[in-house]
Amino acid sequence: MIRIAVVGLGKIARDQHLPAIAASADFTLAATVSPDGAGLADTGMADVPHFASLDALLAQGPAVDAVALCTPPQVRRELALKALARGLHVLLEKPPAATLGEVAALQDAAAQGRASLFAAWHSRFAAGVEPARAWLAGRTITSVAITWREDVRVWHPGQAWIWQPGGLGVFDPGINALSIATLILPRPLFLTRAVLDFPANRAAPIAADLAFADAAGTPVSMDLDWRQTGPQTWDIVVQTDAGTLVLHQGGAVLKVPGCTQTREDREYAGIYARFAELVASRSSEVDAAPLRLVADAFLCGTHRTCAAFED
Ligand code: NAP
């Protein structure tokens, strides 16, 4: 059993990481870390040791073999470097860090040690994604349309960090779509156009209109918007010479001509199974491609100001 500490006891840690660890045959929850002193006292796991900082865990806590970093991205690099320096295996929530330079530094640190570094992209573990990649392999793709429209008030209520520099704004969900696109499409994408809409009172975009192309010139459009109320849209539509492939509901549902597949959500079970494999083989897996495309959009996109946003 790999003794793991969950660092950053917020929404994703509670919704997904803790249940996935509890259900895993490979991991046991050894500790939690978060500035809030309560830990898991409000759950049935009140006996799990809790620490206010990673430093406190490393100084006083039980032995751990690994950490899952579920904090906002702006503090991830420092925490990951501390853990790697202690020889701990590190699972990074998405995005792996706030900048590409930070990701490179983490890769260097992992390469110099013996611990595994896993930059997890949870959407890549959605049920339809690997079958979509396999279906597309060898087919001619003529265009791709990504639509990722959700209600930020529902999914990120009161999260200040997401609007701050490094928090990515609407690219926080949008990068999930890019993590899928960069896996299922056969060639790397390049940004060709980006228009980012920043609320007058925020440092991160609330919407973006993007276009990419691959080396063969295949067009990929991307429509991101955090202002969608009512039904939410997380769709990738791929036109091919063999018909249309649709990944619906963030990758959970796959539709190809003559077949619709809907399977149980196993994203975080898949992440922990993969992390266990990496730990066993002492190898690392870090793909910065989705973050690179987001960085390019911030670098080369047109920035517009739109109406102020209040939670
Ligand atoms: P969140 O609810 O704001 O939780 C983040 C937690 O990290 C908070 O408990 C925060 O404590 C804690 N924290 C901040 N700095 C820390 C530090 N230095 N050491 C230890 N803990 C620290 O955010 P979230 O929604 O869970 O998102 C966290 C990450 O998961 C983001 O990168 C996000 O993109 C990713 N993710 C989120 C979702 C989702 O549905 N929410 C889905 C997939 C991935 P304080 O609140 O006291 O600062």
Side-chain angles (χ1 to χ4, degrees):
M1 291 289 263
I2 302 162
R3 298 164 297 181
I4 192 165
V6 170
V7 180
L9 216 43
K11 183 168 177 3
I12 198 60
R14 289 175 182 272
D15 287 357
Q16 297 288 352
H17 288 262
L18 297 177
I21 291 166
S24 169
D26 300 306
F27 292 89
T28 181
L29 183 65
T32 55
V33 174
S34 222
D36 173 355
L40 298 177
D42 58 337
T43 73
M45 294 184 281
D47 55 332
V48 176
H50 179 73
F51 300 85
S53 68
L54 180 59
D55 286 337
L57 166 66
L58 296 177
Q60 310 147 21
V64 296
D65 309 301
V67 291
L69 300 184
C70 307
T71 65
Q74 293 98 328
V75 296
R76 201 122 61 214
R77 178 193 64 93
E78 187 184 349
L79 295 168
L81 286 179
K82 268 184 193 158
L84 289 170
R86 293 286 287 258
L88 303 182
H89 308 291
V90 175
L91 188 167
L92 303 168
E93 247 302 349
K94 49 77 25 172
T99 69
L100 291 168
E102 290 185 340
V103 177
L106 293 178
Q107 286 178 288
D108 286 349
Q112 285 162 23
R114 291 199 68 244
S116 298
L117 176 67
F118 179 29
W121 297 105
H122 65 86
S123 292
R124 288 185 172 179
F125 291 88
V129 171
E130 178 52 31
R133 190 201 59 74
W135 192 88
L136 289 170
R139 293 197 154 95
T140 301
I141 298 169
T142 52
S143 69
V144 182
I146 301 170
T147 309
W148 231 248
R149 289 176 158 253
E150 63 178 45
D151 186 345
V152 64
R153 289 188 174 92
V154 171
W155 301 105
H156 301 283
Q159 287 186 343
W161 62 265
I162 215 160
W163 292 106
Q164 291 162 359
L168 297 190
V170 75
F171 286 98
D172 176 84
I175 203 168
N176 298 333
L178 290 172
S179 75
I180 296 173
T182 49
L183 185 74
I184 66 173
L185 300 177
R187 288 176 289 271
L189 300 180
F190 300 92
L191 183 84
T192 55
R193 180 177 56 80
V195 180
L196 279 53
D197 291 322
F198 287 70
N201 58 342
R202 303 284 179 166
I206 195 167
D209 178 19
L210 310 158
F212 305 91
D214 68 10
T218 311
V220 178
S221 67
M222 187 172 191
D223 168 10
L224 302 179
D225 206 316
W226 247 350
R227 297 166 295 196
Q228 176 147 313
T229 54
Q232 309 282 281
T233 311
W234 299 286
D235 288 345
I236 299 178
V237 180
V238 185
Q239 305 293 348
T240 80
D241 59 345
T244 303
L245 175 148
V246 182
L247 269 174
H248 195 47
Q249 294 177 14
V253 178
L254 171 64
K255 294 181 184 174
V256 292
C259 177
T260 298
Q261 286 180 23
T262 308
R263 298 216 186 102
E264 186 195 355
D265 171 13
R266 304 262 307 150
E267 289 184 19
Y268 280 79
I271 283 178
Y272 277 91
R274 181 70 186 134
F275 191 32
E277 287 173 358
L278 292 170
V279 169
S281 61
R282 292 290 186 274
S283 50
S284 293
E285 184 175 298
V286 179
D287 178 9
L291 184 60
R292 199 156 50 231
L293 293 174
V294 171
D296 287 352
F298 276 91
L299 193 61
C300 294
T302 300
H303 292 204
R304 297 190 305 203
T305 303
C306 61
F309 174 84
E310 303 300 342
D311 267 321

